Amino acid sequence: MKKYYLSFIIAGLTFSGIHAQETTVDDALRYAVENLTGSARFRGMSGAFGAIGGDLSAMNQNPAGSLFFNNNYATVTGSINNIKNSSLYNGTRTNETDSSLDLNQAGVVFVFNEGSGKTDWKKIALAFNYENANNLNNSIFSAGTNQYNSIGNYFVNQANANGGIPLELLTLQPGETFFQLYDYLGTLPDSSYPNVSGFQAQQAFLGYTAYIFDSTSPNTYTSNVPGGAHYAQESYLTSTGYNGKITGNFATQYKDILFLGLNLNAHFSDYVRTTSLYEQNDSPSTVKVSSIEFDNQLHTYGSGFSFNLGAIVKIVPQFRVGVAYESPTWYRFTDELTQYVKATSIDGSQTFTDVADPQITNVYAPYKIQTPAKWTGSAAYLFGKKGLLSIDVSTKDYSTTRFKPKNEYPYGGINGLNHNMSTNLDNAIEVRVGGEYKIKQVSLRGGYHFDQSPYKVDQTFGDLTGYSGGIGYTFGENRLDLAYSYEHRNMNQALISSGMPDPARISRYNNNIVISYSINF
């Protein structure tokens, strides 16, 4: 068996303009699916504020809610976030926990009352609010024994896809360096190779360099990982980052009946996901790939824009209804990706380590994501100054989520992804129910929320169920609020995007403690 030892260290090099990395539906849902965030009062009632208002985070549900402040008002919020992921992979259960501190909300509202009596438009509110709309810190560890599929299948699939990558593309020519070939592959396709994408070619080249597969003909490849073995596999995924949102709000009140509001939202996101896959097999073969390590770090950053419109009608002093529209968010993102592959091979009595480590950051062409619009209907009943009950029902059609890259993927990949979302995603319902009871200066709160899966078949990404509770204390012009919220969702987590159809089953438990300080001024 012909064998090569190869380990390249080429540091600090970056190139751009290549076709996008392998994007999935999960990348879109990271921005389309909302989390319950905001102030402690808002979270304590599970966000059921669409017809209540009077809270800076409530503007996200209905921008008319800023009119229910009687004075200028400011709130700042911090939170402790804890996520536990229980993973079941091929019969083996593992657990991983991630905790973080976050200054997740800060805002202010200015109230202007019309005191002349010359118009029926009684009040104007101007507000500005920042929220971390989604804390992206997370850790998932999965481990188990796979009896059918090796990580090596991923690289073989990339090499054989779309008629196979020509062997000449994966072979170093005399005088050519690893970096030069890797750089060139990133620019594909061109007129000579119209069916080969740059990302696909780079993945194949990494696998070929690490001797994970070999060629049987100029366009056909077979794995060097032995079949029929038990593959002990581990996957460790960590992510850090946030989806932030800055909101400018304008609202106006007609008599004491109709309340209208508008939000303009600037979104910004920074996300880093690091994945490390390891596999070792127990094949008795004396000629084989015995272990594989495959590491990736993806950095996604960008910004976006959206707007909200809302109205609240006071039917009677005790009963209010509201309706709100949230536009799609139009994001523009850039991806940066670094990769590392190492494989250990046995050839008779000799052991070889092959490393493909370009130490290069791939900077991909910018692309766009359009998340779905959202409609919310709300109702609230107030028991004088003693308390209230509130319910919000929202609907969002996830099948309208779209990728819109600046440069189209080759061979219609992005069209296939959008078609996949149109076919498999569905309209989803979100229900939030909350209540508050006041005892002098103390407010007791509780809530429940349910988010339906964005999928037609929810095995991939299940429904979310959450509960919350909180307490508030008013002293002078100030108020201190504390809330606890719990959420649970089941989902599938693929260890790798192709070649291994058996995902890990993840049970995710979110526990959050939130504290807010508010002041009238």
Side-chain angles (χ1 to χ4, degrees):
M1 177 184 290
K2 191 174 181 180
K3 196 73 179 66
Y4 298 92
Y5 176 80
L6 184 61
S7 180
F8 292 93
I9 305 296
I10 304 174
L13 297 172
T14 303
F15 59 98
S16 61
I18 65 179
H19 290 282
Q21 59 106 13
E22 196 168 34
T23 311
T24 68
V25 176
D26 290 343
D27 296 307
L29 292 181
R30 186 185 313 129
Y31 305 100
V33 175
E34 298 175 332
N35 284 356
L36 178 62
T37 61
S39 70
R41 185 178 182 228
F42 186 80
R43 285 201 193 187
M45 293 175 55
S46 288
F49 268 82
I52 298 174
D55 186 278
L56 281 156
S57 294
M59 296 188 311
N60 295 315
Q61 283 291 90
N62 191 323
S66 60
L67 291 163
F68 290 90
F69 291 99
N70 294 320
N71 308 289
N72 299 339
Y73 196 83
T75 301
V76 61
T77 302
S79 62
I80 301 173
N81 307 301
N82 177 272
I83 300 177
K84 178 184 176 182
N85 289 298
S86 177
S87 173
L88 181 64
Y89 180 63
N90 288 328
T92 301
R93 185 171 294 281
T94 54
N95 296 292
E96 191 70 22
T97 301
D98 185 274
S99 297
S100 60
L101 295 172
D102 183 24
L103 180 64
N104 70 287
Q105 183 273 328
V108 61
V109 59
F110 301 97
V111 178
F112 304 92
N113 291 291
E114 202 289 315
S116 68
K118 296 180 180 179
T119 176
D120 289 330
W121 295 95
K122 300 296 184 180
K123 185 191 294 186
I124 291 176
L126 295 176
F128 303 91
N129 190 53
Y130 160 78
E131 285 196 10
N132 184 353
N134 192 354
N135 186 323
L136 300 176
N137 294 349
N138 196 21
S139 299
I140 301 175
F141 176 69
S142 303
T145 300
N146 196 321
Q147 299 185 40
Y148 305 102
N149 298 299
S150 165
I151 294 171
N153 294 349
Y154 168 79
F155 298 97
V156 179
N157 286 359
Q158 297 288 346
N160 286 325
N162 306 299
I165 295 178
L167 180 60
E168 64 188 83
L169 286 179
L170 306 181
T171 306
L172 287 172
Q173 302 302 315
E176 187 177 30
T177 68
F178 177 84
F179 168 73
Q180 288 172 329
L181 181 52
Y182 190 79
D183 188 8
Y184 169 70
L185 293 178
T187 66
L188 295 176
D190 61 18
S191 58
S192 302
Y193 309 102
N195 295 321
V196 180
S197 76
F199 179 80
Q200 172 199 350
Q202 285 182 330
Q203 304 312 287
F205 180 53
L206 293 174
Y208 188 70
T209 300
Y211 201 65
I212 295 172
F213 64 85
D214 211 344
S215 63
T216 56
S217 70
N219 291 72
T220 307
Y221 304 91
T222 186
S223 177
N224 290 325
V225 181
H230 292 86
Y231 308 101
Q233 297 167 341
E234 294 183 353
S235 168
Y236 188 51
L237 181 153
T238 61
S239 64
T240 59
Y242 57 87
N243 292 341
K245 179 169 71 172
I246 296 177
T247 297
N249 168 269
F250 171 81
T252 185
Q253 174 183 339
Y254 180 76
K255 294 185 177 180
D256 197 31
I257 299 173
L258 178 62
F259 306 82
L260 302 172
L262 165 69
N263 288 348
L264 301 178
N265 308 303
H267 301 257
F268 47 95
S269 181
D270 194 281
Y271 173 73
V272 178
R273 183 184 69 213
T274 302
T275 58
S276 181
L277 288 172
Y278 179 78
E279 171 185 291
Q280 187 167 6
N281 67 72
D282 63 356
S283 171
S285 173
T286 58
V287 180
K288 64 176 182 178
V289 172
S290 61
S291 68
I292 299 172
E293 179 183 345
F294 184 29
D295 299 336
N296 291 264
Q297 185 176 86
L298 173 68
H299 182 197
T300 301
Y301 53 92
S303 59
F305 171 78
S306 67
F307 66 90
N308 304 63
L309 299 171
I312 296 174
V313 178
K314 189 180 291 187
I315 306 296
V316 293
Q318 298 81 17
F319 183 62
R320 307 171 188 169
V321 296
V323 62
Y325 170 77
E326 180 180 341
S327 77
T329 301
W330 296 277
Y331 284 107
R332 178 182 173 89
F333 289 116
T334 298
D335 286 348
E336 298 181 0
L337 179 68
T338 58
Q339 297 183 294
Y340 171 91
V341 180
K342 180 174 74 173
T344 300
S345 303
I346 296 174
D347 189 349
S349 61
Q350 292 183 292
T351 299
F352 300 88
T353 299
D354 294 273
V355 177
D357 182 14
Q359 295 194 1
I360 290 169
T361 300
N362 293 310
V363 181
Y364 298 96
Y367 61 97
K368 298 177 182 179
I369 294 178
Q370 177 182 308
T371 67
K374 176 181 175 181
W375 285 93
T376 300
S378 310
Y381 189 87
L382 283 68
F383 300 92
K385 296 183 178 181
K386 286 293 185 180
L388 59 89
L389 289 174
S390 177
I391 182 170
D392 293 353
V393 179
S394 303
T395 179
K396 182 186 288 188
D397 188 356
Y398 287 94
S399 68
T400 62
T401 307
R402 291 290 179 268
F403 281 92
K404 297 180 179 180
K406 181 178 180 181
N407 294 327
E408 178 65 278
Y409 281 122
Y411 51 85
I414 194 64
N415 291 329
L417 183 58
N418 284 335
H419 177 73
N420 181 15
M421 291 190 293
S422 297
T423 303
N424 296 309
L425 300 184
D426 201 1
N427 188 70
I429 301 298
E430 175 185 329
V431 178
R432 300 183 180 188
V433 180
E436 182 177 56
Y437 183 73
K438 296 182 179 181
I439 307 173
K440 295 183 179 180
Q441 294 170 282
V442 177
S443 298
L444 303 177
R445 306 179 183 110
Y448 164 83
H449 69 281
F450 171 82
D451 295 356
Q452 193 175 19
S453 168
Y455 281 88
K456 292 180 179 178
V457 180
D458 66 4
Q459 180 73 12
T460 302
F461 193 87
D463 300 334
L464 179 144
T465 302
Y467 304 91
S468 62
I471 186 171
Y473 182 78
T474 302
F475 50 99
E477 299 297 324
N478 308 323
R479 194 176 74 210
L480 189 65
D481 296 300
L482 180 70
Y484 166 77
S485 63
Y486 164 87
E487 297 174 338
H488 172 248
R489 189 197 298 268
N490 294 324
M491 66 192 73
N492 289 343
Q493 177 73 50
L495 270 63
I496 202 166
S497 60
S498 69
M500 292 175 58
D502 26 21
R505 185 64 173 170
I506 308 298
S507 294
R508 177 170 297 172
Y509 305 89
N510 293 356
N511 293 276
N512 298 280
I513 297 174
V514 187
I515 187 168
S516 295
Y517 181 77
S518 304
I519 182 171
N520 286 280
F521 63 95

